[in-house]
Amino acid sequence: MTKDLYFSKDHQLVRRAVADFIKKEINPYIDQWEEEGLTPLHDLFKKMGELGFLGLRYDTKYGGEGLDYWYELVFLEEIAKIRAGGVALAIMVQTNMATPAISDFGNEYLKKNYLEPALKGQMVSAIAVTESDAGSDVSALKTFAKKEGDHYILNGSKTFITNGTQADFLTLLARTSEDPGYHSFSLFIVPTDIKGFSVGKKLDKLGMRSSDTAELFFDNMKIPAQNLIGQEGEGFIQQMMQFQHERFSALPLAYGTAEAIMKETIGYLKQRVVFGKPLIKQQVIRHNLAQWASEIQALKQFTYHIVRMKTAGQDASKEVSMGKLLAAQLVQKVADGCLQYYGGSGLMNEMAISRFFRDSKLISVGGGADEVMKEIIAKLERY
Ligand SMILES: Cc1cc2nc3c(=O)[nH]c(=O)nc-3n(C[C@H](O)[C@H](O)[C@H](O)COP(=O)(O)OP(=O)(O)OC[C@H]3O[C@@H](n4cnc5c(N)ncnc54)[C@H](O)[C@@H]3O)c2cc1C
C-alpha cells in the first residue's frame, strides 16, 4: 500500500474514531432530527466533548487536544459525511465559528468559563453577527453595548443564528461606539441566562433543517465587562479573523458532501436501467461524473495547500476566500447534476439526494456570500 502523503497513522486513527461515532451516534437519528428541525446539541456535544472531538486543535490547558490543523481537517472531512448538512453545520459552529476568537483573544476568565466547557461539550455556543439590516455588510449592524461601570448594557437583535434556540452563550458582535469606522465594534461572550435575553422564533428553512436557526433579542441585558473579548473597539477585526476559521470549514464541508453525493449517485446509476441498460453506461453521464471527480480532487488539494500555509503560520485569507467561493459553487453543481440523474425520484423528500440539494445552497450565502468572497479576493489581488 502506498504511504499517505498527508495523513499519518495517528491522523487516520482520529478519522476512524470520528467516522465510527457518526455511524453509531448521528446517522441513525438524522431523519428524526430533520423532521423535528433540531439536533439535541447538549446531548450530542457532551458525547463528542468526552471523546475530545470538539477541541482537536485547541490548547490542552482549556480542554483541547493541542493537535495541528491536519487533525482539524480530518475531523471536518468526516463531519462532512454526516447525512444531513444541518448537523454538520451545528457542530462546525461550536468548533470553527463561535470559539476561535475566545481562544485567540479572550481573557483567562472567558477561556476557563466558556471556551473550556464548549470544548468539553458542556455548553452549546452560537455566533451572533447577522442582523435584519446587516448581513453581507457587517459594519451596518446596530446592536449596541453601552459601558456602564463594570458592565455593558446590551440592546438590539440578531437573526439567522444557528444553534440559537439551544445556545448557552453567544459570541456576539456589537457596536460600542457611534463613530464611523471599523474601531466602533467589540466582540462579547453573552450568556443566554441573563435577564433581557429572548428567542423570537425558530425559523423555517429550505435546507439545513436539522439545525435550529433563530431570531434573538437583547433588552437591556447587563453583560459583565469581563465578558468583552480582547480590547474594546477591536471586535470587527477579531470577527474578520474568526471568519477565516468559519470559511475554511466550508471547504471540507463542500468537497466531503460532494464526494458523498457522487458515491450515492453512482450506486443508483449502476442499478437504474433506462433504455435497456444501466444509466452509468451512458458516456455523457460518466463524463460528467469524471469532470466533477476531477474538480473535487482539485479543491481538496487546494485545501491541503491552505492547511500547509496555516501550519507554517502564513496568512491564508485570500486562499480561504478563493476556496470557499469555488467550494460553494462545486457542491451545488454536483448536487444539482446528480439530482437530475435520479429523475423524478430525486425530487422526493425521502431521497438523500433531495436533502443534499437543499442543504448545499447555504455555502454560497452563509459566512460571506460568493460576491463578498469575490470582493475580498479582488481587494487582496489589488485589482
Ligand atoms: C441557514 C443559515 C444559517 C446562518 N447562520 C448564521 C449564524 O450562525 N450567525 C450569523 O451571524 N449569521 C448566520 N447566517 C446569516 C448569513 O451569514 C447571512 O445570511 C449572509 O451573510 C448574507 O447576509 P444577508 O442574508 O443579509 O444578505 P444580504 O447582505 O442582503 O445580501 C443578499 C445578496 O446580495 C448579494 N451581495 C451582497 N453583497 C454584494 C456585493 N458587494 N456585490 C454584489 N452582490 C452582493 C449576494 O448574492 C447576497 O447573497 C445564517 C444564514 C442562514 C441562511
Side-chain angles (χ1 to χ4, degrees):
M1 213 173 84
T2 33
K3 189 174 177 300
D4 194 299
L5 290 178
Y6 298 96
F7 301 105
S8 67
K9 273 198 184 129
D10 287 343
H11 291 127
Q12 300 297 11
L13 279 176
V14 171
R15 187 185 290 285
R16 269 201 299 281
V18 179
D20 280 353
F21 181 84
I22 292 170
K23 200 168 149 199
K24 288 194 201 105
E25 301 287 350
I26 297 184
N27 279 342
Y29 308 101
I30 290 289
D31 289 341
Q32 182 194 334
W33 296 344
E34 281 278 303
E35 188 69 30
E36 290 169 1
L38 186 126
T39 298
L41 296 180
H42 284 96
D43 182 44
L44 179 66
F45 287 177
K46 192 163 174 290
K47 291 177 188 161
M48 294 184 79
E50 279 164 9
L51 292 166
F53 292 161
L54 298 175
L56 288 172
R57 71 166 188 87
Y58 286 92
D59 196 334
T60 50
K61 199 174 157 199
Y62 305 108
E65 302 298 314
L67 299 169
D68 63 27
Y69 280 111
W70 292 102
Y71 285 91
E72 181 185 69
L73 180 67
V74 160
F75 173 76
L76 294 171
E77 284 185 343
E78 292 308 307
I79 290 300
K81 292 183 194 154
I82 295 174
R83 291 176 66 77
V87 183
L89 174 66
I91 295 169
M92 288 175 179
V93 166
Q94 184 91 350
T95 58
N96 284 62
M97 304 182 202
T99 47
I102 319 175
S103 170
D104 291 345
F105 313 108
N107 57 33
E108 195 61 19
Y109 167 78
L110 293 179
K111 286 180 179 172
K112 275 283 165 212
N113 289 282
Y114 296 97
L115 179 64
E116 186 164 340
L119 302 185
K120 289 184 171 169
Q122 296 157 350
M123 277 186 166
V124 173
S125 63
I127 172 71
V129 174
T130 306
E131 299 181 3
S132 53
D133 291 322
S136 303
D137 181 4
V138 173
S139 68
L141 68 82
K142 295 196 181 76
T143 293
F144 204 95
K146 189 171 183 294
K147 184 99 190 270
E148 276 184 14
D150 56 359
H151 283 81
Y152 284 87
I153 306 299
L154 184 69
N155 279 292
S157 65
K158 297 282 173 185
T159 194
F160 303 149
I161 306 307
T162 304
N163 302 352
T165 70
Q166 304 186 69
D168 297 299
F169 71 87
L170 316 171
T171 303
L172 177 141
L173 189 63
R175 270 193 170 274
T176 36
S177 159
E178 296 288 8
D179 293 343
Y182 294 119
H183 289 283
S184 296
F185 304 88
S186 304
L187 263 183
F188 293 92
I189 292 301
V190 174
T192 55
D193 59 359
I194 292 183
K195 195 168 157 265
F197 174 77
S198 60
V199 178
K201 61 176 174 187
K202 184 155 80 66
L203 301 164
D204 186 19
K205 312 187 291 296
L206 168 77
M208 300 292 192
R209 294 187 66 84
S210 44
S211 143
D212 57 300
T213 313
E215 281 181 310
L216 309 177
F217 296 93
F218 322 105
D219 180 14
N220 281 322
M221 280 179 85
K222 219 172 151 192
I223 312 296
Q226 61 185 350
N227 284 28
L228 171 70
I229 299 180
Q231 300 298 313
E232 188 179 305
E234 295 303 307
F236 194 89
I237 292 106
Q238 290 166 354
Q239 181 52 34
M240 290 304 121
M241 292 167 89
Q242 185 159 248
F243 271 141
Q244 293 305 313
H245 296 277
E246 169 170 353
R247 290 169 187 164
F248 171 74
S249 67
L251 276 77
L253 177 64
Y255 68 71
T257 305
E259 279 181 330
I261 296 173
M262 292 262 299
K263 191 171 169 209
E264 183 121 357
T265 304
I266 290 164
Y268 176 79
L269 294 172
K270 282 183 177 166
Q271 53 86 27
R272 175 70 178 169
V273 175
V274 179
F275 291 112
K277 58 183 179 185
L279 276 173
I280 194 83
K281 297 285 179 202
Q282 297 289 353
Q283 191 186 51
V284 66
I285 293 181
R286 286 205 318 281
H287 283 188
N288 275 338
L289 293 170
Q291 175 78 35
W292 299 332
S294 310
E295 292 178 25
I296 289 169
Q297 192 54 234
L299 181 65
K300 201 186 255 194
Q301 292 304 322
F302 187 50
T303 306
Y304 293 0
H305 172 64
I306 293 172
V307 175
R308 276 197 294 266
M309 290 181 77
K310 282 157 73 93
T311 307
Q314 294 179 12
D315 177 17
S317 310
K318 185 175 74 181
E319 288 74 13
V320 167
S321 307
M322 289 172 164
K324 181 179 180 287
L325 173 68
L326 296 177
Q329 293 171 348
L330 180 59
V331 69
Q332 287 172 81
K333 182 165 69 174
V334 172
D336 186 25
C338 286
L339 189 145
Q340 177 72 16
Y341 296 150
Y342 276 83
S345 310
L347 281 87
M348 299 302 113
N349 276 337
E350 71 198 60
M351 301 294 281
I353 185 65
S354 148
R355 180 187 299 158
F356 284 135
F357 176 80
R358 289 186 280 105
D359 288 350
S360 66
K361 185 62 205 172
L362 177 66
I363 306 182
S364 266
V365 173
D370 288 358
E371 293 83 350
V372 173
M373 292 305 103
K374 288 179 190 171
E375 279 300 317
I376 295 171
I377 298 161
K379 200 162 134 198
L380 293 173
E381 288 281 5
R382 299 176 198 281
Y383 297 151

